[in-house]
């Protein structure tokens, strides 16, 4: 068999689906449709219905999160709005593509890529793509036993069918992605067919029946998808948790089903949720029951509070309160709709009767919802399966989508959705954990059941700490304890999605994730977190989740400690102010503060962490020399201030200058170590460790053990 092998290089690449605009999801390699699009642009023509086999592998140096400008047109204000949005970007991406096609098509592809008809870009990339190689290669099949397995040199998409023929050792099962493939319909509205593939990281060992090219690169050809006919699946309604939004909806639905006593495990497989038709039809009922389950207290309390009883509406108290933030003016929440207004002024006497009234209004809302249909021939974006009956808009999920009438964005065309998926999205509000006006969701892209468990953990865990970061922490802890992660890609992809309602229909959506380095640092070091600084543990977490440098954290802490007087009247209750206050409360410094330096350097992947202890002990030795006579003793404090200032300014020269003077003061020469090790990369690490050493108190081991170093006043 002959293939065309293509090597591509681009400095940056962003591969996203429409829901990734909030910086939440990316593909680790471009989906097939992106590569196919690039090939046809190179050939200077449109796809004309021809299919071919394609294999996509690649490698990148790192992932960054960066801002891109997202434009949308506001019809009301008649102006173009620009929003900065955070997106993950793959840097220095190299792609290895194999194409198998008819001789005629191969020739056309070959000459197209050798002399492209236009400048080639990969979606979202700022820089043109460089075609580094276009070559005919012979491919052959070969069997490998477990003993003489081969190692993947690139990350690879391995089609589901292909995967069944081969075995893997080491890093687990791979991650299931659903990728856009060839067009199903190339005319507008364009629709893609979708293909299930597993993503495997480079380094994975594989064996079994493999196809190799003549340079021993494995080739994983995705064959054209044969449109599956509608099978006996008719008895089921299937959903696909292929993005965080649908995943949160599935989790919400699972909570509702569990509440109804269903054994939910049997409905979930990998990323899909499959419900028997009969159960699906009962879902509106079950949802109403779920929302009403602990309603009695809430209803009575808000009835008592209402001064004008004729204005009291139990529907709004129960349903609107739960769904209002996410589904503004929807069939379930628009307060002007007749089946909602008719409950106005209902008296609370027979509580069951009131609950029934709320429930039947909710069901009427469902019927009205079903009747709202927009004609379209497109396939649903969310399930890739059923015919769309509507487009998503602000009522479907207010925090993310705009109203189609007033604001149109230029990033994607209207997203078509089927009635089933549209209704399921109303369960997202049950999927998110709500606390103090904020919503939090944990998303593990390849595993719906684990996503469900993780979110259950959020909502049922004892409410020790209301704070969201504390909540996140409990999940992180749980994940690490389980050591569930199959690969670092998975770990990087445990996303926390947080939604904060800002105004009525405006929300901020944040996401953050635990990078492999962060997980490593947590796993290795978190038990050494200084016990006397428990009060600011949340602040510490905020720093690491948001990737702020712990040297900034340490600077605030030390500033509080060294300049107790200047912060006497600090009233702010910001994160930074709380850190300064914790510094003020410390009675003395000890080596336990080196924790923050160690932690940061694990994040920085610094191999030279030995310097930390070295610098600390150098600082302590200098302190001892200063304390030998009164004249120099007095100079310790001003020296500390000058060094702290040098650290703040990141001024290495000023730091060394003061250091030389300091050693001269005690008639010593500056240790050679500083000249050797104090480079830009290690400056903060060494400078802070030295400063801590210079101001730390010598304690016996026994004292430190009982005392945990510096203690707060209250201890
Ligand atoms: Zn659908």
């Amino acid at each position: 068999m002959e293939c065309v092998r293509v090597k591509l290089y681009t400095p940056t690449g962003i591969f996203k689906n429409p829901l990734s605009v909030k910086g939440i999801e990316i593909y680790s390699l471009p989906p097939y449709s992106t590569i196919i699009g690039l090939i046809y642009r190179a050939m200077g023509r449109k796809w004309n219905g021809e299919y071919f086999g394609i294999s996509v592998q690649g490698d990148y140096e790192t992932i960054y999160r960066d801002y891109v400008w997202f434009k949308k047109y506001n019809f009301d204000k008649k102006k173009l709005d620009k929003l900065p949005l955070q997106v993950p970007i793959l840097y220095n991406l190299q792609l290895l593509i194999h194409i198998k096609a008819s001789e005629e098509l191969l020739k056309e592809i070959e000459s197209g890529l050798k002399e492209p008809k236009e400048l080639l870009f990969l979606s979202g990339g700022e820089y043109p793509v460089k075609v580094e190689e276009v070559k005919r290669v012979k491919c052959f099949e070969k069997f490998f036993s477990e003993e003489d397995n081969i190692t993947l040199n690139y990350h690879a998409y391995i089609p589901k069918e292909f995967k069944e023929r081969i075995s893997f050792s080491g890093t687990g099962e791979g991650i299931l992605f659903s990728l856009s493939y060839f067009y199903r319909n190339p005319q507008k509205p364009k629709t893609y067919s979708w293909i299930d593939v597993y993503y495997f990281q480079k380094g994975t060992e594989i064996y079994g029946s493999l196809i190799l090219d003549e340079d021993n690169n494995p080739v994983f050809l995705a064959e054209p998808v044969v449109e599956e006919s509608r099978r006996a699946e008719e008895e089921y309604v299937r959903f696909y948790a292929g993005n965080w939004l649908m995943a949160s909806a599935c989790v919400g639905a699972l909570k509702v089903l569990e509440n109804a006593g269903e054994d939910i495990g049997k409905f979930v497989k990998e990323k899909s949720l499959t419900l028997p038709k009969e159960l699906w039809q009962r879902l509106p009922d079950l949802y109403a029951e779920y929302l009403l389950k602990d309603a009695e207290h809430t209803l009575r309390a808000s009835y008592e509070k209402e001064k004008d009883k004729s204005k009291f509406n139990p529907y709004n108290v129960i349903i609107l309160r739960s769904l209002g933030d996410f589904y503004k003016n929807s069939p379930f929440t628009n307060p002007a709709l007749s089946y909602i207004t008719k409950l106005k002024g209902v008296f609370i006497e027979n509580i069951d009767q009131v609950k029934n009234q709320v429930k039947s209004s909710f069901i009427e809302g469902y019927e009205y919802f079903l009747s709202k249909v927009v004609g379209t021939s497109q396939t649903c974006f969310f399930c890739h399966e059923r015919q769309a009956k509507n487009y998503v808009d602000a009522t479907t999920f207010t925090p993310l989508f705009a109203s189609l009438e007033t604001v149109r964005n230029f990033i994607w065309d209207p997203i078509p959705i089927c009635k089933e998926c549209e209704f399921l999205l109303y369960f997202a509000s049950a999927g998110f954990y709500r606390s103090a006006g904020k919503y939090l969701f944990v998303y593990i892209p390849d595993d719906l059941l684990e996503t469900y468990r993780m979110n259950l953990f959020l909502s049922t865990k004892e409410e020790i700490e209301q704070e969201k970061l504390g909540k996140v922490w409990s999940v992180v802890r749980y994940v690490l304890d389980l050591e569930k992660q199959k690969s670092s890609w998975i770990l990087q992809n445990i996303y926390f999605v947080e939604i904060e309602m800002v105004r009525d229909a405006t929300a901020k959506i944040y996401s953050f994730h635990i990078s492999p380095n962060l997980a490593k640092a947590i796993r290795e070091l978190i038990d050494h977190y200084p016990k006397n600084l428990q009060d600011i543990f949340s602040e510490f977490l905020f720093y690491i989740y948001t990737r702020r440098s712990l040297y900034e954290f340490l600077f605030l802490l030390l500033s509080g400690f060294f300049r107790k007087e200047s912060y006497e009247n600090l009233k702010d209750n910001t994160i930074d102010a709380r850190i300064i206050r914790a510094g003020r409360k410390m009675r003395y410094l000890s080596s336990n503060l080196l924790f923050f330096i160690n932690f940061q350097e694990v994040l920085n992947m610094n191999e030279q962490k030995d310097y930390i202890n070295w610098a600390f002990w150098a600082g302590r030795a200098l302190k001892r020399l200063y304390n030998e006579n009164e004249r120099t003793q007095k100079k310790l404090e001003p020296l500390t201030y000058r060094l702290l200032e040098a650290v703040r300014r990141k001024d290495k020269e000023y730091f060394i200058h003061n250091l030389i003077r300091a050693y001269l003061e005690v008639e010593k020469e500056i240790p050679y170590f500083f000249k050797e090790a104090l480079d830009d990369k290690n400056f903060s690490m060494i400078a802070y460790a030295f400063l801590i050493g210079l101001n730390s108190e010598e304690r016996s081991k026994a004292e430190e053990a009982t005392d945990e170093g510096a203690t707060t006043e209250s201890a």
Side-chain angles (χ1 to χ4, degrees):
M1 167 178 60
E2 260 197 356
C3 285
V4 167
R5 183 174 74 195
V6 186
K7 289 183 181 169
L8 303 174
Y9 167 80
T10 179
T12 59
I14 311 168
F15 308 109
K16 54 189 191 292
N17 67 42
L19 295 177
S20 72
V21 174
K22 295 286 185 176
I24 292 164
E25 277 172 76
I26 48 158
Y27 299 123
S28 35
L29 292 170
Y32 296 110
S33 61
T34 303
I35 301 294
I36 294 167
L38 179 129
I39 291 170
Y40 277 88
R41 278 197 307 282
M43 300 193 312
R45 71 171 176 92
K46 289 212 156 50
W47 183 68
N48 203 16
E50 56 279 88
Y51 291 101
F52 47 85
I54 180 165
S55 160
V56 175
Q57 300 175 73
D59 195 9
Y60 54 86
E61 209 171 272
T62 187
I63 299 177
Y64 283 102
R65 297 198 161 230
D66 209 343
Y67 287 91
V68 294
W69 290 101
F70 163 78
K71 297 186 191 74
K72 62 178 190 176
Y73 187 75
N74 189 320
F75 286 97
D76 279 352
K77 294 185 196 151
K78 299 215 183 329
K79 72 175 179 91
L80 199 62
D81 287 338
K82 274 167 85 182
L83 294 168
L85 287 165
Q86 210 193 33
V87 292
I89 298 175
L90 305 176
Y91 272 75
N92 283 340
L93 180 72
Q94 280 173 316
L95 294 169
L96 179 72
I97 317 280
H98 290 83
I99 301 152
K100 184 187 108 178
S102 69
E103 181 55 32
E104 195 186 345
L105 188 56
L106 276 190
K107 273 191 183 142
E108 194 188 350
I109 290 172
E110 224 176 340
S111 63
L113 285 165
K114 278 180 179 160
E115 283 163 37
K117 301 277 191 299
E118 56 177 284
L119 209 52
L120 301 176
F121 288 86
L122 282 171
S123 55
E126 285 174 63
Y127 303 100
V129 169
K130 189 173 156 211
V131 180
E132 294 193 321
E133 181 196 79
V134 183
K135 191 184 174 191
R136 277 297 174 108
V137 287
K138 291 221 167 3
C139 296
F140 53 92
E141 198 163 334
K142 194 177 166 190
F143 186 83
F144 289 83
S145 66
E146 190 169 359
E147 288 68 40
D148 63 4
N149 60 42
I150 66 164
T151 304
L152 292 182
N153 291 323
Y154 293 90
H155 307 298
Y157 285 144
I158 302 186
K160 205 169 182 175
E161 283 72 39
F162 210 104
K163 192 193 162 221
E164 282 150 19
R165 308 213 305 261
I166 42 186
S167 305
F168 305 84
S169 50
T171 43
E173 289 297 298
I175 299 151
L176 181 63
F177 281 113
S178 188
L179 300 178
S180 47
Y181 197 41
F182 284 96
Y183 287 129
R184 192 181 269 177
N185 173 17
Q187 283 82 41
K188 285 222 161 192
K190 288 176 186 171
T191 49
Y192 290 104
S193 57
W194 296 76
I195 180 169
D196 280 348
V197 300
Y198 286 84
Y199 172 81
F200 277 88
Q201 272 195 303
K202 69 171 176 180
T204 305
E205 291 168 353
I206 62 172
Y207 54 95
S209 183
L210 302 175
I211 297 171
L212 301 181
D213 73 11
E214 56 198 43
D215 298 311
N216 288 325
N217 293 301
V219 179
F220 307 104
L221 291 167
E223 300 292 342
V225 184
V226 183
E227 287 294 320
E228 65 217 75
S229 56
R230 293 198 173 269
R231 286 157 295 179
E233 300 277 346
E234 295 292 322
E235 287 151 46
Y236 294 91
V237 186
R238 192 162 45 170
F239 300 95
Y240 204 72
N243 55 62
W244 62 268
L245 181 57
M246 207 27 142
S248 70
C250 289
V251 165
L254 287 169
K255 283 187 187 174
V256 169
L257 290 169
E258 179 136 84
N259 181 60
E262 294 289 338
D263 168 19
I264 56 156
K266 65 182 183 206
F267 305 131
V268 180
K269 197 173 163 244
E270 289 166 342
K271 294 201 285 191
S272 67
L273 172 68
T274 308
L275 299 177
K277 263 252 158 77
E278 163 276 327
L279 190 58
W280 168 251
Q281 277 152 0
R282 278 167 45 215
L283 211 53
D285 257 45
L286 300 180
Y287 197 13
E289 279 159 25
Y290 175 85
L291 294 170
L292 282 159
K293 69 176 167 172
D294 299 313
E296 179 164 356
H297 173 76
T298 316
L299 281 171
R300 288 196 193 282
S302 76
Y303 186 68
E304 290 306 317
K305 267 217 304 238
E306 181 64 68
K307 286 197 188 73
D308 181 356
K309 304 289 188 222
S310 70
K311 281 193 178 144
F312 177 77
N313 187 333
Y315 186 95
N316 293 344
V317 172
I318 300 301
I319 309 293
L320 192 62
R321 222 176 253 181
S322 301
L323 304 186
D325 281 349
F326 281 4
Y327 317 102
K328 210 94 217 149
N329 294 329
S330 72
F332 298 97
T333 57
N334 186 344
L337 291 164
S338 61
Y339 48 83
I340 297 176
T341 49
K342 76 176 180 193
L343 293 194
K344 210 164 131 186
V346 161
F347 285 100
I348 298 279
E349 276 166 11
N350 182 338
I351 198 82
D352 287 333
Q353 199 187 333
V354 174
K355 282 161 79 173
N356 276 333
Q357 282 172 290
V358 171
K359 186 175 167 183
S360 65
S361 281
F362 185 80
I363 302 300
E364 276 185 65
Y366 179 66
E367 275 147 22
Y368 175 55
F369 158 81
L370 286 181
S371 71
K372 284 180 63 175
V373 169
V374 175
T376 163
S377 59
Q378 285 174 268
T379 308
C380 172
F381 168 82
F382 293 89
C383 61
H384 317 317
E385 190 176 297
R386 291 175 288 267
Q387 199 197 326
K389 298 276 172 63
N390 203 353
Y391 294 101
V392 293
D393 66 9
T395 63
T396 332
F397 194 75
T398 315
L400 190 59
F401 300 114
S403 155
L404 292 177
E405 283 81 50
T406 56
V407 183
R408 185 165 299 165
N409 65 60
F410 288 127
I411 278 222
W412 62 79
D413 295 330
I415 302 171
I417 188 166
C418 71
K419 264 328 200 195
E420 288 83 352
C421 290
E422 192 183 352
F423 183 55
L424 203 79
L425 284 183
Y426 283 97
F427 289 76
S429 79
F432 270 80
Y433 167 77
R434 183 184 188 170
S435 166
K438 288 181 181 173
Y439 296 85
L440 186 64
F441 180 69
V442 189
Y443 175 44
I444 306 170
D446 75 323
D447 192 334
L448 180 58
L449 205 56
E450 198 56 43
T451 299
Y452 172 74
R453 289 200 198 107
M454 223 51 101
N455 282 282
L456 215 56
F457 196 76
L458 274 188
S459 54
T460 55
K461 189 97 199 326
E462 282 292 308
E463 198 100 350
I464 305 164
E465 211 176 359
Q466 270 288 342
E467 235 178 315
K468 122 215 165 204
L469 289 163
K471 276 286 177 188
V472 170
W473 172 243
S474 65
V475 173
V476 171
R477 190 97 233 199
Y478 173 75
V479 175
L480 291 173
D481 285 351
L482 279 179
E483 285 289 358
K484 255 275 184 195
Q485 321 80 339
K486 299 171 196 163
S487 67
S488 59
W489 175 254
I490 292 249
L491 210 55
Q492 285 182 67
N493 274 279
I494 296 179
Y495 289 105
F496 294 87
V497 182
E498 194 202 37
I499 298 176
E500 183 181 4
M501 299 307 295
V502 184
R503 280 185 303 278
D504 217 16
T506 317
K508 285 182 186 158
I509 303 183
Y510 308 96
S511 80
F512 46 96
H513 70 150
I514 309 298
S515 70
N517 284 348
L518 178 53
K520 183 168 184 272
I522 291 174
R523 216 178 286 141
E524 285 176 9
L525 298 171
I526 201 70
D527 292 337
H528 303 291
Y529 181 86
K531 297 230 171 13
N532 58 309
L533 296 173
Q534 282 303 341
D535 287 358
I536 50 167
F537 187 61
S538 283
E539 285 71 15
F540 163 71
L541 293 179
F542 177 82
Y543 264 69
I544 61 175
Y545 293 152
T546 56
R547 303 193 176 192
R548 283 178 71 177
S549 167
L550 287 176
Y551 290 122
E552 285 170 41
F553 183 97
L554 213 43
F555 177 79
L556 296 172
L557 198 64
L558 293 178
S559 301
F561 176 77
F562 292 133
R563 298 177 178 274
K564 287 192 166 62
E565 296 76 34
S566 34
Y567 292 112
E568 216 161 342
N569 297 317
L570 186 68
K571 290 275 177 331
D572 297 3
N573 195 25
T574 59
I575 286 169
D576 290 355
R578 290 198 290 273
I579 298 169
I580 291 175
R581 266 201 296 276
R584 284 195 74 231
K585 276 163 74 183
M586 289 194 299
R587 282 196 287 129
Y588 60 88
L589 301 187
S590 93
S591 59
N592 70 355
L593 292 185
L594 298 181
F595 163 83
F596 298 103
I597 301 178
N598 273 304
F599 201 101
Q600 185 62 52
E601 294 305 330
V602 172
L603 295 180
N604 297 350
M605 291 191 282
N606 192 338
E607 301 285 325
Q608 296 170 307
K609 292 205 299 295
D610 295 350
Y611 291 166
I612 299 173
N613 275 331
W614 203 101
F616 173 81
W617 288 106
R620 189 171 273 189
L622 186 65
K623 179 183 184 176
R624 200 177 302 130
L625 292 171
Y626 263 69
N627 280 342
E628 273 172 9
N629 76 60
E630 242 175 85
R631 183 186 63 84
T632 49
Q633 211 170 26
K634 274 186 237 149
K635 294 189 172 170
L636 192 61
E637 193 175 293
L639 171 65
T640 296
Y641 287 166
R642 285 199 304 275
L643 292 178
L644 190 66
E645 175 60 14
V647 176
R648 186 188 66 79
R649 291 185 347 213
K650 294 197 176 70
D651 187 339
K652 200 176 70 187
E653 298 310 316
Y654 186 62
F655 188 85
I656 291 176
H657 169 77
N658 278 290
L659 217 52
I660 293 170
R661 273 179 53 192
Y663 277 98
L664 278 179
E665 198 76 61
V666 289
E667 288 160 11
K668 292 273 187 243
E669 213 176 304
I670 179 167
Y672 183 70
F673 159 81
F674 285 109
K675 291 177 195 148
E676 192 188 65
L678 206 57
D679 55 15
D680 290 340
K681 181 168 73 87
N682 290 328
F683 174 64
S684 293
M685 170 175 89
I686 290 172
Y688 276 102
F690 180 80
L691 253 176
I692 292 168
L694 185 66
N695 289 280
S696 67
E697 306 235 330
E698 288 184 60
R699 301 249 138 184
S700 71
K701 281 262 176 256
E703 267 178 307
E704 285 207 355
T706 53
D707 210 36
E708 266 301 322
T711 42
T712 56
E713 287 160 339
S714 57

